[in-house]
Amino acid sequence: MNKTNTGMKEAGILLPLGVGFVMASSNDLRAAVGMGVAVLLALFFSAVVISALRKVIPQAAHLPIYILIITGFVSLIQMVMEAHFPGVVNMLGVHLAALSVSAVPYRDAEHVSGVMGEGPSVKTAIETGLLFTLVMAVCAVIREVLGSASIWGVAIPFMQDFRISALSGVFGGYLVLAIVFAVMRKISGKKETEKEDVAA
């Protein structure tokens, strides 16, 4: 596996899988950052444990054991966030708890941590989590500024008369995510083309 662009490739796969989290958390920057950090931490800790135990976990028991490990870390992350950032947890609602059964950490566990050593698994988890957080934050900034005329919950007075309320809703979430995802694909494709030209 080419590890140079692993994070970009993994996030490109995980974004469609995690569209529910993006949709639910990207209309406010605080919620988006909170969910992004939760995803990053869940991927990181799960990668450490699963990659360390990958040789002793029976093939037939992958699914229940991975879910058990991921659920444990998500529950711990949720408790810490409830203690220190209750407002963010309220904004995320059930979507934070649902992270434990999401395809996002499970896909990373099955295709990366379950087959690679601790070093590459942790590196990929961090790259993927950071990029996932970045994409959520970008979506949130666009939706919150243009849709709600605010940033980090603080109103932007001169934007009040120029709000595009549709961006705060479901349609706006899908629209912004599609645009951001298209830009990512374009950048990734351009880098691959440049590498091929250099190699040639």
Side-chain angles (χ1 to χ4, degrees):
M1 182 181 293
N2 183 356
K3 300 181 181 63
T4 304
N5 292 320
T6 302
M8 176 71 79
K9 292 177 181 178
E10 286 298 306
I13 295 170
L14 290 175
L15 273 174
L17 295 177
V19 67
F21 297 114
V22 176
M23 286 293 301
S25 311
S26 68
N27 62 344
D28 187 294
L29 183 57
R30 294 167 296 177
V33 171
M35 180 59 84
V37 171
V39 170
L40 172 61
L41 292 176
L43 290 174
F44 173 78
F45 289 118
S46 298
V48 172
V49 174
I50 292 172
S51 61
L53 299 177
R54 71 188 187 282
K55 294 182 179 179
V56 298
I57 298 176
Q59 181 68 33
H62 277 186
L63 177 59
I65 292 178
Y66 288 172
I67 290 179
L68 182 63
I69 292 171
I70 293 167
T71 300
F73 284 122
V74 171
S75 298
L76 178 61
I77 292 167
Q78 183 173 6
M79 287 189 289
V80 172
M81 290 181 68
E82 285 176 347
H84 298 282
F85 308 102
V88 173
V89 174
N90 288 336
M91 284 188 283
L92 294 174
V94 298
H95 299 283
L96 180 57
L99 176 60
S100 60
V101 291
S102 165
V104 177
Y106 179 74
R107 198 271 174 192
D108 187 77
E110 181 68 31
H111 293 272
V112 181
S113 303
V115 297
M116 299 172 68
E118 289 88 340
S121 297
V122 170
K123 180 176 181 291
T124 299
I126 293 174
E127 290 176 347
T128 303
L130 288 175
L131 189 55
F132 194 88
T133 303
L134 176 61
V135 171
M136 290 195 65
V138 170
C139 290
V141 169
I142 295 172
R143 294 183 67 193
E144 187 177 3
V145 172
L146 299 182
S148 303
S150 64
I151 186 69
W152 204 258
V154 178
I156 305 175
F158 71 89
M159 289 289 296
Q160 296 300 315
D161 295 331
F162 304 98
R163 286 182 294 177
I164 307 173
S165 57
L167 292 180
S168 298
V170 175
F171 170 77
Y174 279 115
L175 177 63
V176 172
L177 179 63
I179 293 172
V180 172
F181 190 54
V183 171
M184 284 182 59
R185 293 290 297 272
K186 183 68 174 178
I187 293 173
S188 179
K190 184 177 180 180
K191 288 183 177 179
E192 291 295 331
T193 302
E194 289 175 351
K195 287 184 178 180
E196 291 176 0
D197 291 342
V198 171

